[in-house]
Amino acid sequence: ELKRIQLQAGLGHPGWVIDHRQSLVNASPAADFEAAGMATAAQNLRSALMCPLVANGRAVGVIALYHVAPEFYSEDHRRLLDRISEQAAAAISNSIVFEQTREESLSDALTGLPNTRYLVSHVARELARAERHDSQMAILVLDLDDFKDINDTHGHHGGDLALREVADVFRRTVRPYDD
């Protein structure tokens, strides 16, 4: 049973559909499955209908339907899938924007490090986990001594550069599961 195929961007018929922002009716599925490394999965499939998922001028994916009958899909099928694709693209685009906004709200714009909002929710979860497992937890608080002197001497741009460099040191030395 096929549930999902993933292709590298730009490959196969989905790549063409994205590049041209046009639907394909009764394309041959074989090339797409070969590009996905699943050539044997397409043995019985003879036709494909593909529509681009475009929202606000940005391509977010492709919907592809496959069928065992050759030349199965009609223009009516295409029109229906085009309508569905418009709605799906809007929903996917909104989901992407929501997730980006959520991530941005939990990190500092300058350094990309977690901010206070993230800290509050994360510490609460970790305290509950430590209590559940009867384990200990540590919180490390850092203060950059004389940071004001950097801003006063080198301006705020110099201070921003220093903060980014400190953040990069943290990212390189802290394990991902320790944040």
Side-chain angles (χ1 to χ4, degrees):
E1 177 181 316
L2 292 176
K3 292 191 178 191
R4 187 171 86 177
I5 299 172
Q6 289 185 324
L7 289 177
Q8 281 186 303
L11 292 183
H13 292 108
W16 186 93
V17 168
I18 288 287
D19 288 346
H20 293 85
R21 309 281 168 96
Q22 293 179 14
S23 298
L24 276 179
V25 179
N26 294 317
S28 172
D32 300 331
F33 284 83
E34 286 174 20
M38 302 172 62
T40 57
Q43 289 176 1
N44 297 328
L45 301 176
R46 299 289 179 255
S47 56
L49 172 61
M50 298 183 192
C51 292
L53 296 171
V54 179
N56 302 318
R58 179 176 169 226
V60 294
V62 172
I63 291 181
L65 303 178
Y66 299 97
H67 203 278
V68 294
E71 303 294 318
F72 176 80
Y73 295 105
S74 67
E75 279 301 307
D76 286 340
H77 290 120
R78 184 200 52 80
R79 280 192 293 276
L80 178 60
L81 193 58
D82 279 344
R83 296 264 192 229
I84 293 168
S85 294
E86 290 172 11
Q87 299 299 312
I92 291 168
S93 179
N94 288 341
S95 174
I96 291 168
V97 169
F98 175 81
E99 185 60 27
Q100 288 171 339
T101 302
R102 188 185 73 74
E103 286 180 23
E104 289 169 2
S105 77
L106 298 175
S107 62
D108 176 70
L110 177 66
T111 63
L113 293 176
N115 63 15
T116 303
R117 182 177 289 130
Y118 176 86
L119 177 69
V120 169
S121 68
H122 191 69
V123 167
R125 272 194 319 269
E126 290 303 315
L127 283 171
R129 184 190 334 222
E131 189 173 321
R132 241 185 356 261
H133 296 288
D134 195 29
S135 61
Q136 295 181 349
M137 181 180 129
I139 296 176
L140 176 65
V141 177
L142 299 168
D143 180 31
L144 300 179
D145 288 340
D146 303 317
F147 180 73
K148 183 180 179 315
D149 293 345
I150 294 173
N151 277 336
D152 290 346
T153 305
H154 302 284
H156 289 285
H157 180 68
D160 289 353
L161 291 173
L163 286 175
R164 282 191 203 112
E165 190 164 325
V166 169
D168 287 342
V169 169
F170 287 142
R171 268 191 285 281
R172 287 192 307 268
T173 57
V174 175
R175 298 172 299 191
Y177 51 87
D178 285 338
D179 66 344

